[in-house]
Amino acid sequence: MKLLKTSSVSLTGEYCALNCKHCGRHYLKNMANINEIEDIAKNGYTSFLISGGLMPDGKIPFAAFKDKLKYLKKEYNLRYNFHTGFVDEEDLSVLKELSDVVSYDLVGDKETYYEVYGKGNFEKMWDSFFLLLENGIKVKPHVTLGLRKGVISHEREAIKSLKEVSDKIDEIIFLIFIPTKGTEYESYKPPKINEVVLFLENARKNFPETKLILGCMQPKGNYRKNIQEQLLGIVDKIVQPVLPTIKEAEKKGFEISYSYECCAL
């Protein structure tokens, strides 16, 4: 049986017009570039997260790479998860043709948005998300818990806005802030576990028909072990579960899915 694996690609290299306080371009450094997709696919990878840093207009330049991405997808039977910034009609054309799914980061309030990103356009972020939904793009919203200095803040408003379009989304993916060395937020702690659990319990009540996913971005060590075990039975899927979580799930009779693929796939 072929093992399903995802590799991350940055279309902009290490460039990003922003210098977000939780990221600081750090995560771009470990991504492959588009010229490496072919070799990675030959080594058994079946899907790719197509991402990158944002250009000054808040977009990732997907259209410039459309032909190459189209050729590689067909040649190696690949699946693409596009991680987008702002989108317009040109991007919609690319996404309709090439995306299997779109991952989209959402921030619930202006204060958090401008505090973390420094600049951008809060309204356009939400307008782009709604544009994707209205055009039938399979989009999976991502909400980072503790995004602003590890404190639960914007998340409640994000959930309220998502509630209004709950009939158009089948999953919400929750990430957890990781203090990252070299960023402005490196000295802050992840959100308290009990607050994360309480928040997701409330989200479960508000979205009884929507799958809630704990995505791959989670602090490591005891935090990861503890948060995963406490979310058993609350979320529908835990990505990259640690062994104690798997054992605890089996003991309690919960099914737990895990793979080497991106959480949106």
Side-chain angles (χ1 to χ4, degrees):
M1 182 177 70
K2 193 172 186 179
L3 184 63
L4 304 178
K5 296 191 291 185
T6 302
S7 179
S8 300
V9 172
S10 171
L11 298 180
T12 65
E14 295 184 21
Y15 171 82
C16 182
L18 301 181
N19 187 23
C20 303
K21 293 179 181 178
H22 69 306
C23 173
R25 308 185 185 101
H26 170 84
Y27 293 98
L28 294 172
K29 296 176 183 178
N30 297 319
M31 294 185 181
N33 65 62
I34 191 170
N35 295 320
E36 295 176 290
I37 290 180
E38 192 157 21
D39 286 338
I40 295 171
K42 288 178 180 177
N43 283 324
Y45 281 78
T46 52
S47 58
F48 287 83
L49 171 65
I50 308 298
S51 185
L54 299 182
M55 306 305 286
D57 60 2
K59 295 173 56 178
I60 296 174
F62 300 116
F65 300 94
K66 178 181 177 180
D67 291 342
K68 185 158 191 173
L69 289 170
K70 182 177 179 180
Y71 162 75
L72 292 167
K73 183 178 178 71
K74 183 178 180 180
E75 183 72 12
Y76 296 98
N77 192 29
L78 301 174
R79 295 201 297 161
Y80 289 152
N81 171 19
F82 281 79
H83 180 213
T84 75
F86 299 157
V87 295
D88 57 21
E89 293 298 332
E90 183 180 36
D91 300 307
L92 286 176
S93 174
V94 176
L95 296 172
K96 284 181 179 179
E97 184 173 1
L98 297 180
S99 72
D100 292 277
V101 67
V102 168
S103 291
Y104 197 89
D105 293 320
L106 290 170
V107 180
D109 64 54
K110 288 184 179 181
E111 184 178 358
T112 298
Y113 182 87
Y114 291 111
E115 156 69 21
V116 175
Y117 296 125
K119 55 184 176 180
N121 187 319
F122 175 79
E123 286 79 13
K124 192 166 185 178
M125 172 196 64
W126 280 98
D127 288 344
S128 293
F129 173 66
F130 294 137
L131 184 64
L132 290 167
L133 289 179
E134 290 163 3
N135 281 272
I137 303 292
K138 188 176 183 180
V139 57
K140 299 193 178 181
H142 287 51
V143 177
T144 300
L145 306 179
L147 177 63
R148 188 172 77 194
K149 300 179 180 178
V151 176
I152 301 294
S153 54
H154 76 103
E155 299 86 344
R156 297 181 183 89
E157 291 301 318
I159 286 297
K160 285 182 183 178
S161 297
L162 287 174
K163 183 70 174 174
E164 297 175 7
V165 292
S166 60
D167 60 321
K168 295 182 179 179
I169 53 176
D170 58 4
E171 289 185 358
I172 304 173
I173 297 172
F174 293 95
L175 310 175
I176 301 177
F177 164 68
I178 300 174
T180 303
K181 189 175 181 179
T183 68
E184 287 195 47
Y185 282 177
E186 70 173 302
S187 62
Y188 293 96
K189 295 180 179 180
K192 294 178 180 178
I193 288 178
N194 66 314
E195 293 181 358
V196 171
V197 173
L198 179 61
F199 178 85
L200 289 174
E201 283 178 337
N202 289 329
R204 175 78 288 160
K205 293 173 185 175
N206 280 291
F207 293 89
E209 305 299 324
T210 304
K211 288 185 178 179
L212 305 184
I213 312 298
L214 179 62
C216 58
M217 182 176 166
Q218 312 161 31
K220 295 182 179 179
N222 284 331
Y223 188 101
R224 178 172 291 211
K225 172 183 174 294
N226 292 333
I227 193 67
Q228 289 185 1
E229 289 184 4
Q230 292 191 45
L231 289 178
L232 288 172
I234 298 174
V235 298
D236 297 281
K237 184 191 296 183
I238 293 174
V239 179
Q240 295 182 2
V242 294
L243 185 57
T245 305
I246 297 172
K247 290 181 177 179
E248 188 67 18
E250 291 172 347
K251 187 192 306 181
K252 293 182 176 180
F254 292 116
E255 283 190 25
I256 190 164
S257 39
Y258 54 98
S259 74
Y260 294 94
E261 278 202 301
C262 176
C263 52
L265 292 167

